[in-house]
Amino acid sequence: MQTEKKRIMSGMRPTGKLHIGHYMGVLTNWIKFQDGYKCYFAVADWHALTTKYDRTEDLRQNITDLVIDWIASGIDPEKSVIYVQSLIPETAELHLLLSMITPQNWVERDPTLKDMIKALRGNKEEETEDTSAIVSYGLMGYPVLQTADILQFNASLVPVGKDQLAHLEISRDIARRFNHIYKTDFFIEPQPKLTEIPMLKGIDGQKMGKSFDNDIKISDSEEDTAKKIMRAITDRSRIKRTDPGHPDLCEVVCPYYEIFADEQTVKKQRYECENAIRGCADCKRELADIINDRFRNVRQKRKELEADPDYFHEVIKTGSEQARKSVCDTLRYVKNIMQMY
Ligand code: TRP
Ligand code: SF4
């Protein structure tokens, strides 16, 4: 007898092209799950609206870019369901039903949401004309909407980064509360699946992010990648080429080597640095080559996908239709359990 595969659900907001930190930290993880689990990956465009409701002109392009980054990186539409959140209106209905049983203070206490609100207000302190600093009713529902995303497939695992743990705790609480109130065991309490790969730092040693202009995109050209790496910070105590370096104080180049290069190469790089055999420029040039080698196929695939819009529109359409079927099933059960008319 064939037992049904466990389900995995995750998503990203379409806010721009992905960087190699997303690739190493999130996508490689998603890719690993594709064979052992039934995977649903959402382009969370409603979640993007929670803070960018007044900047929708980039939304379509961002959705396209995100799906292209995913497929080029190895998310296989033949194995996994790739869908766009807003193409499944039933998710909104489930969100509404779940919002009724969610205590207000659960969302108010959510540390991740608090951080989002702080960032939103912080960015816009002096601009009074601008409406983008408002904390909308929709934004307060962020973790509840995310809960609907997950529970609608009854996913048991959610691969996410650390920043999403607080949201996910609310998801488990909501699942448990639903089951308790309606005396059922219908919803599975979804567990997080944290990435093992440490998040890559940006080339300036800060958190990698597009707003800090310190990221290397999956879609960057080889030349841009090399240029960015050349700007990366190194061991600050190494002033002259003849000074021995300290790999452990080299906060960006060194960890990148550890993540992207093989063991032999890392050994050689550390030895040559410590003994002033290699200069930082050479060290970075080699790193740029290693990273460019690693992403050559992904970037090639990306170009092909960009040239074939019919293909990924088809992927989105098929995936969303397939996802919608499961969501409709779940919603029917939920409404039944809640004794809706
Ligand atoms: N909030 C997530 C993020 O910003 C994106 C997301 C939306 C998500 N729905 C989800 C993640 C469901 C996991 C499961 O990264
Ligand atoms: Fe960093 Fe390489 Fe320079 Fe050593 S040689 S300090 S590892 S960039």
Side-chain angles (χ1 to χ4, degrees):
M1 195 184 77
Q2 203 198 343
T3 49
E4 220 185 307
K5 280 184 188 169
K6 276 196 177 180
R7 285 172 302 275
I8 278 197
M9 195 278 149
S10 197
M12 287 186 202
R13 279 174 290 166
T15 52
K17 292 182 170 133
L18 297 181
H19 53 61
I20 62 174
H22 291 121
Y23 178 89
M24 299 308 290
V26 188
L27 290 178
T28 49
N29 211 21
W30 287 11
I31 290 161
K32 254 192 354 233
F33 293 126
Q34 293 191 107
D35 289 311
Y37 295 86
K38 175 84 193 170
C39 298
Y40 294 89
F41 298 122
V43 178
D45 55 344
W46 282 334
H47 277 112
L49 285 184
T50 60
T51 54
K52 294 189 182 242
Y53 54 84
D54 59 346
R55 280 157 290 164
T56 48
E57 62 279 0
D58 303 330
L59 199 52
R60 273 171 204 236
Q61 187 58 45
N62 287 345
I63 292 171
T64 308
D65 283 334
L66 187 59
V67 172
I68 289 182
D69 274 336
W70 285 359
I71 301 175
S73 298
I75 306 293
D76 182 351
E78 301 287 321
K79 296 179 184 168
S80 302
V81 179
I82 296 174
Y83 76 96
V84 175
Q85 190 180 38
S86 66
L87 291 181
I88 309 185
E90 288 78 11
T91 304
E93 189 173 348
L94 181 61
H95 170 222
L96 180 131
L97 293 174
L98 295 177
S99 77
M100 300 303 168
I101 68 159
T102 306
Q104 186 179 335
N105 65 359
W106 287 7
V107 295
E108 283 169 352
R109 276 198 312 243
D110 178 348
T112 304
L113 195 56
K114 278 188 184 169
D115 287 347
M116 288 178 77
I117 292 170
K118 216 188 278 166
L120 202 59
R121 293 201 168 124
N123 287 341
K124 303 283 168 196
E125 241 159 12
E126 60 296 320
E127 292 166 59
T128 44
E129 296 283 282
D130 200 330
T131 58
S132 26
I134 74 151
V135 176
S136 68
Y137 169 65
L139 176 59
M140 292 314 291
Y142 192 110
V144 187
L145 179 57
Q146 183 158 328
T147 301
D149 288 340
I150 300 164
L151 298 191
Q152 66 190 357
F153 302 115
N154 238 336
S156 46
L157 281 181
V158 185
V160 280
K162 268 211 310 282
D163 63 319
Q164 298 294 309
L165 289 180
H167 292 330
L168 208 58
E169 197 178 323
I170 294 185
S171 299
R172 282 196 300 282
D173 288 343
I174 293 175
R176 197 176 310 128
R177 189 166 157 84
F178 180 94
N179 290 346
H180 175 74
I181 292 173
Y182 302 106
K183 300 184 180 51
T184 171
D185 56 4
F186 181 68
F187 280 133
I188 296 170
E189 290 178 29
Q191 302 299 326
K193 185 85 188 159
L194 280 179
T195 56
E196 288 140 43
I197 308 136
M199 269 299 180
L200 276 183
K201 284 183 178 174
I203 49 169
D204 56 0
Q206 308 298 309
K207 182 178 183 288
M208 190 182 282
K210 66 167 183 303
S211 38
F212 312 119
D213 190 30
N214 67 357
D215 63 347
I216 297 167
K217 302 259 196 298
I218 294 175
S219 51
D220 277 344
S221 68
E222 301 200 354
E223 296 71 45
D224 286 343
T225 303
K227 269 192 213 142
K228 287 178 177 178
I229 304 263
M230 295 315 278
R231 270 167 45 206
I233 57 159
T234 57
D235 171 8
R236 290 173 220 265
S237 66
R238 190 177 188 202
I239 316 272
K240 292 197 300 292
R241 166 71 180 77
T242 48
D243 295 340
H246 308 85
D248 293 327
L249 297 180
C250 185
E251 289 169 54
V252 175
V253 177
C254 222
Y256 276 36
Y257 263 93
E258 251 140 52
I259 288 171
F260 292 105
D262 59 57
E263 219 175 305
Q264 253 346 83
T265 310
V266 172
K267 254 196 207 142
K268 183 161 178 278
Q269 168 248 343
R270 291 182 71 98
Y271 177 81
E272 292 185 354
C273 170
E274 281 163 351
N275 295 285
I277 299 169
R278 69 165 62 198
C280 291
D282 287 335
C283 190
K284 288 172 169 179
R285 258 190 290 274
E286 191 191 8
L287 176 63
D289 287 343
I290 293 170
I291 293 180
N292 282 333
D293 286 345
R294 172 70 180 255
F295 285 98
R296 193 156 298 124
N297 289 341
V298 174
R299 286 167 170 166
Q300 177 57 31
K301 182 91 198 276
R302 221 188 167 284
K303 288 222 174 75
E304 288 164 19
L305 290 163
E306 269 177 338
D308 190 1
D310 289 347
Y311 171 72
F312 63 76
H313 283 135
E314 190 55 36
V315 166
I316 291 173
K317 187 164 163 276
T318 315
S320 302
E321 279 165 5
Q322 205 187 326
R324 192 174 182 190
K325 281 205 190 92
S326 325
V327 174
C328 286
D329 286 343
T330 304
L331 192 62
R332 214 175 15 256
Y333 274 107
V334 166
K335 290 190 342 186
N336 205 6
I337 291 168
M338 292 176 78
Q339 307 192 53
M340 300 301 292
Y341 186 75

